[in-house]
């Protein structure tokens, strides 16, 4: 017997006791039938997973974003984009509660029929496999001055990173991070100097086993560890504020033996509240995409204990709130350390002025491990999207699950090892897809599905999301194109 989404929701509500928090139930449907949830993930583990989906290597570029916009300007923009990210999650959860649909792809199908479902699935695959330009690093052996994302141009952090970009970072920087703990005479042609070999080892031994889990809740253990590493990063940035004098030394010897000349005067030690320049346009997309986690929200929601919209909204509020706090603290103290001379990748500055500092070396390794532990979490929605698009996702199959996992990781590994220049394509397409997933799709889907009048509060908010998302997408494309023109 065919029953539409609302009838399923009513039937499920009649059979489900109301949750004590807010009295809500959330019937979840999948492909036209009531779907049993993989429940069991605690509230705390869901927070860690969502935070891990939010935070990535982009945190390293936020101090530069503050230098480009000013402390007050940065604060206003960060509040704005975090609020919009929370609001778009609110709209997605509201649609789930209304329709009983449990996936981003099926919401696209509900709103725009099959083309919408395919579009969302492709967007998730592009965004999660590799959506940002990879760092242009030189893989010099034993060069400790190359940090986690060394050699970045200002625009590199303007779009978030997918799995291929993260693995490229690991391939480029893990050998240098290991060598930083060794004495110069110990460095040579050791096996750990080969970034490709290290990348294959960590992918097979760490990423693959974690990615095989059919439940995203299982990844909360590694997500909590990644959060601790990011917390350690923020603590080190705060502590090292008092280790580097202002004005900065004029002649600095880096670990590679070169000299960095800094024309730093006392007047430049005053923080700026507002900055409006061409660099501000480079910084805004970095902040706009700093809270992109929407591909992981609904999978986490599906496994949440006593799942209701109210509980999942609290998970989102806490996750984005804690991420906001870490973002702001690390950006503020990073900026107050280097002021206008802050590097587009924060750790580069510490390498120059605090060579072989144990805290800087350990925090570099900690950020790399956090990036590594983020890959399985990004992989989960990508695999889910691929299975939905290719096989319909009607019932779980270990064979399909294993084949999909191996195929996606193999593609990502090949891209990271052999085709780093493909990041140019991902940069253009990924910046558009990221903007759509974060702002445009939630707004359009709400306007199409909710049935609310255009003058209602949420409908007006959805329209504003779409407009803001289009602006961010165009701005990101312009940043990338201008950089290509300059580099050529």
């Amino acid at each position: 017997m065919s029953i539409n989404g609302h009838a399923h929701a009513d039937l499920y509500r009649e059979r489900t006791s109301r949750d004590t928090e807010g009295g809500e139930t959330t019937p979840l449907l999948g492909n036209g039938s009531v779907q049993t949830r993989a429940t069991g993930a605690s509230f705390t583990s869901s927070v860690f997973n969502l935070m891990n989906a939010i935070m990535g290597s982009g945190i390293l570029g936020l101090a530069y974003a503050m230098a480009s916009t000013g402390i007050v300007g940065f604060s206003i923009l960060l509040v704005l984009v975090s609020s919009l990210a929370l609001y778009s999650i609110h709209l997605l959860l509201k649609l789930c509660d209304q329709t009983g649909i449990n996936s981003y792809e099926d919401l696209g199908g509900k709103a725009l029929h099959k083309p919408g479902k395919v579009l969302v699935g492709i967007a998730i695959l592009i965004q999660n496999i590799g959506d940002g330009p990879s760092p242009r690093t030189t893989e010099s052996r034993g060069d400790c001055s190359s940090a986690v994302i060394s050699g970045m141009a200002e625009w590199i952090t303007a779009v978030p990173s997918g799995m291929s970009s993260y693995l490229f970072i690991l391939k480029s920087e893990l050998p240098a991070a290991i060598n930083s703990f060794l004495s110069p005479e110990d460095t040579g042609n050791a096996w750990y100097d080969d970034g490709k070999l290290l990348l294959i080892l960590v992918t097979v031994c760490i990423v693959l086993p974690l990615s095989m889990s059919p439940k995203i809740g299982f990844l909360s253990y590694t997500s909590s560890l990644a959060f601790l590493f990011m917390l350690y990063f923020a603590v080190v940035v705060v502590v090292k504020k008092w280790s580097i004098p202002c004005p900065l030394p004029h002649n600095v010897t880096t670990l590679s033996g070169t000299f960095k000349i800094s024309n730093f005067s006392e007047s430049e030690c005053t923080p700026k509240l507002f900055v409006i320049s061409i660099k501000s346009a480079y910084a805004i997309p970095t902040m706009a995409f700093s809270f992109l986690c929407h591909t992981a929200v609904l999978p986490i929601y599906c496994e949440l204990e006593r799942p209701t919209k109210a509980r999942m909204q609290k998970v989102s509020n806490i996750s984005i709130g804690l991420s906001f706090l870490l973002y702001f603290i690390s950006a503020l103290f990073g900026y107050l350390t280097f002021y206008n001379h802050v590097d587009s990748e924060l750790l580069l500055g510490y390498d120059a002025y605090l060579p072989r500092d144990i805290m800087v070396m350990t925090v570099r390794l900690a950020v790399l491990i956090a990036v590594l532990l983020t890959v399985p979490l990004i992989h989960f929605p990508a695999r889910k999207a691929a299975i939905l698009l290719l096989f319909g996702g009607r019932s779980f199959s270990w064979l399909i699950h294993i084949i999909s996992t191996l195929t996606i990781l193999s593609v990502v590994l090949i891209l990271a090892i052999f085709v780093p220049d493909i990041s140019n394509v991902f940069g253009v397409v990924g910046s558009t897809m990221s903007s759509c997933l974060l702002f445009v799709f939630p707004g359009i889907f709400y306007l199409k599905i909710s049935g609310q009048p255009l003058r209602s509060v949420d409908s007006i908010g959805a329209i504003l999301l779409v407009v803001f998302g289009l602006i961010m997408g165009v701005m990101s494309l312009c940043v990338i194109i201008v950089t290509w023109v300059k580099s050529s």
Side-chain angles (χ1 to χ4, degrees):
M1 182 174 64
S2 177
I3 306 176
N4 62 30
H6 290 290
H8 275 299
D10 293 339
L11 179 62
Y12 191 90
R13 284 188 175 92
E14 291 174 3
R15 296 179 179 179
T16 308
S17 59
R18 291 188 173 271
D19 191 273
T20 55
E21 294 187 46
E24 294 184 71
T25 58
T26 308
L28 297 186
L29 308 178
N31 305 301
S33 61
V34 177
Q35 193 173 52
T36 303
R37 286 188 180 190
T39 57
S42 67
F43 185 91
T44 303
S45 65
S46 299
V47 169
F48 281 131
N49 269 339
L50 192 55
M51 282 194 65
N52 194 20
I54 294 171
M55 302 185 70
S57 59
I59 193 174
L60 301 172
L62 290 179
Y64 182 84
M66 180 175 283
S68 303
T69 54
I71 294 178
V72 176
F74 177 89
S75 303
I76 293 173
L77 288 171
L78 199 65
V79 169
L80 174 64
V81 297
S82 61
S83 300
L84 289 176
L86 266 178
Y87 187 70
S88 61
I89 291 175
H90 158 74
L91 293 184
L92 287 176
L93 295 177
K94 191 171 182 179
L95 290 177
C96 288
D97 193 56
Q98 176 181 331
T99 63
I101 291 174
N102 71 340
S103 74
Y104 208 152
E105 298 90 339
D106 286 330
L107 283 178
K110 178 76 173 179
L112 304 174
H113 308 293
K114 188 174 181 179
K117 182 176 181 178
V118 172
L119 179 62
V120 174
I122 292 175
I124 291 174
L125 281 172
I126 292 174
Q127 193 269 328
N128 285 23
I129 287 179
D131 63 331
S134 298
R136 299 326 194 237
T137 58
T138 55
E139 297 182 54
S140 56
R141 294 179 176 178
D143 182 5
C144 304
S145 62
S146 62
V148 179
I149 314 178
S150 61
M152 272 189 187
E154 297 121 331
W155 59 278
I156 290 297
T157 54
V159 287
S161 298
M163 287 184 287
S164 63
S165 296
Y166 280 166
L167 292 185
F168 188 88
I169 291 171
L170 290 167
K171 181 190 75 171
S172 302
E173 303 303 335
L174 198 52
I178 294 174
N179 280 322
S180 66
F181 291 94
L182 304 176
S183 59
E185 57 269 17
D186 292 335
T187 60
N189 294 323
W191 64 270
Y192 48 78
D193 286 331
D194 188 342
K196 295 178 181 179
L197 177 60
L198 276 180
L199 180 59
I200 294 172
L201 286 176
V202 297
T203 301
V204 173
C205 298
I206 300 176
V207 176
L208 179 59
L210 292 174
S211 299
M212 279 295 179
S213 172
K215 294 185 179 182
I216 199 170
F218 173 77
L219 299 176
S220 62
Y221 302 104
T222 55
S223 293
S224 60
L225 187 60
F227 167 71
L228 291 177
F229 287 144
M230 288 300 183
L231 181 62
Y232 177 58
F233 169 79
V235 170
V236 170
V237 171
V238 173
V239 171
K240 292 304 174 183
K241 161 69 177 73
W242 288 274
S243 299
I244 298 176
C246 185
L248 294 173
H250 286 277
N251 298 320
V252 178
T253 303
T254 65
L255 294 179
S256 59
T258 59
F259 289 92
K260 180 175 181 178
I261 308 301
S262 174
N263 298 318
F264 213 143
S265 63
E266 289 281 356
S267 61
E268 291 184 274
C269 293
T270 303
K272 293 181 174 59
L273 299 182
F274 285 98
V275 175
I276 299 177
S277 67
I278 187 62
K279 290 184 178 180
S280 302
Y282 286 77
I284 291 174
T286 307
M287 302 166 61
F289 296 134
S290 294
F291 296 95
L292 178 60
C293 59
H294 294 50
T295 59
V297 168
L298 297 187
I300 292 172
Y301 183 26
C302 288
E303 297 183 16
L304 180 64
E305 268 183 351
R306 293 183 291 120
T308 67
K309 178 184 178 299
R311 278 174 63 80
M312 189 60 205
Q313 191 67 57
K314 288 181 181 179
V315 169
S316 304
N317 294 346
I318 294 173
S319 300
I320 289 183
L322 290 175
S323 300
F324 178 95
L325 190 62
L326 288 183
Y327 281 163
F328 185 78
I329 290 174
S330 58
L332 177 63
F333 282 88
Y335 170 60
L336 294 178
T337 302
F338 301 103
Y339 296 92
N340 289 339
H341 292 245
V342 65
D343 205 288
S344 57
E345 191 281 291
L346 186 57
L347 290 178
L348 285 175
Y350 298 107
D351 277 336
Y353 297 101
L354 296 173
R356 301 199 70 84
D357 182 275
I358 189 63
M359 290 187 73
V360 174
M361 290 190 296
T362 53
V363 81
R364 178 188 298 115
L365 187 60
V367 171
L368 282 173
I369 296 174
V371 167
L372 173 65
L373 296 178
T374 303
V375 174
L377 192 71
I378 301 175
H379 175 273
F380 191 95
R383 180 184 60 214
K384 180 172 175 288
I387 292 175
L388 276 174
L389 289 176
L390 298 177
F391 304 103
R394 294 182 180 276
S395 59
F396 180 79
S397 166
W398 271 110
L399 179 62
I400 293 176
H401 177 86
I402 293 173
I403 292 175
S404 301
T405 301
L406 293 175
T407 302
I408 292 175
L409 285 182
S410 298
V411 170
V412 169
L413 192 59
I414 290 171
L415 290 176
I417 293 177
F418 299 109
V419 202
D421 289 339
I422 196 69
S423 61
N424 292 331
V425 177
F426 280 131
V428 174
V429 181
S431 62
T432 306
M433 295 298 98
S434 299
S435 181
C436 289
L437 290 168
L438 182 54
F439 301 117
V440 178
F441 288 164
I444 291 177
F445 294 171
Y446 185 83
L447 293 173
K448 292 286 291 184
I449 296 173
S450 68
Q452 296 295 316
L454 289 178
R455 293 185 178 181
S456 66
V457 175
D458 280 338
S459 294
I460 294 174
I463 294 172
L464 293 177
L465 274 182
V466 174
V467 173
F468 186 81
L470 292 175
I471 293 173
M472 285 300 100
V474 171
M475 185 177 296
S476 299
L477 285 175
C478 291
V479 166
I480 294 173
I481 292 172
V482 166
T483 305
W484 283 355
V485 172
K486 286 183 179 180
S487 63
S488 62

